[in-house]
Amino acid sequence: MGNEHFWTAALNQSSQALEHGALIPLTTSRLPCPGPGGEQFELRQLNARLPRHHRPEGPKPNPFSPWDPELEIDSIGGDHVLILNKYPVQTGHLLLITRQWASQVHWLTRTDWNALVRVDRDTSGLWFFNSGPKAGASQPHRHLQLLRRQSGEKTCPRESWFLHILEGGNTVETAVSRDPLIGSCAVVQRPNLSDPEQESRALHDLYRSLAMTLGLGHADADQPPRAPYNLLLTPKWMALIRRKKERASGFSLNALGFAGYLLATQNSDLGWLEHNGGERLLQEVVSRISDATDDSES
């Protein structure tokens, strides 16, 4: 764990932004997650209407061009800026955005990883990225998101699921048949490197390797990737999940859904969730790795 300069700045800036109305936290109520496997999920009910950028109707102005200076935390190198999420899911919800326009649906670059490592070495936790609308992205301007976690703290409700795959199951055919989500996900242990330049290079290479495993294509040949995906990164592991659509049974699902965080709105079918469970909900929106092979052969 680093000195957490960015985290301290985020807390201070959050207080000021709240006072000035620049920050609008999502007001939610915690509910028991019903259905099979509910203990692996944290379910919250939204107590107000969705913010405009999450609604499917109407134009969506780019909030990052320019970004609100009242939300800015710090410049990260010459190409990125660290800001607060205007609609945070927790206090100090951070966004790492590109200073100039870069598309959310195109590949993350080595420069993106350099900036991520620079932030992560000071303030770490659960990083996530949604590669476009079908993966749950609400903005087309490139942004990675960080939910800070304390050292040793469980990063997300479904962390044990990813750790179980790392222990040996994500390439075994019987495991895929037992848990269909394994056929849509690629997980790798995060390297522990002392040099930040080596770490950013290693993370970039692992990201590209996982993308190839999922049939998303090669970053040097396929623009944009062949399918939408979610990225999750913790101090222990990195995961990519191949997607086919953004919602199921009235639930909008981005990378946080696969981390185990579900948000119910007035359109969400809680009866369906109680009958089928959160894992089945996730299965509804993924595209299996085998689908990539079928597509290439057709």
Side-chain angles (χ1 to χ4, degrees), residues 219-234:
D220 294 331
D222 297 286
Q223 280 289 3
R226 296 175 184 172
Y229 65 92
N230 294 119
L231 164 72
L232 291 168
L233 178 70
T234 79

Side-chain angles (χ1 to χ4, degrees), residues 162-211:
F162 293 97
L163 292 176
H164 176 71
I165 294 178
L166 280 179
E167 290 170 0
N170 58 329
T171 59
V172 181
E173 188 172 333
T174 55
V176 173
S177 63
R178 187 170 61 249
D179 184 350
L181 280 176
I182 293 178
S184 309
C185 181
V187 190
V188 69
Q189 185 174 349
R190 180 172 174 174
N192 183 15
L193 299 170
S194 59
D195 181 72
E197 187 74 14
Q198 291 181 358
E199 183 182 17
S200 65
R201 184 184 301 111
L203 290 175
H204 186 219
D205 290 345
L206 284 175
Y207 160 71
R208 290 163 64 113
S209 176
L210 292 180

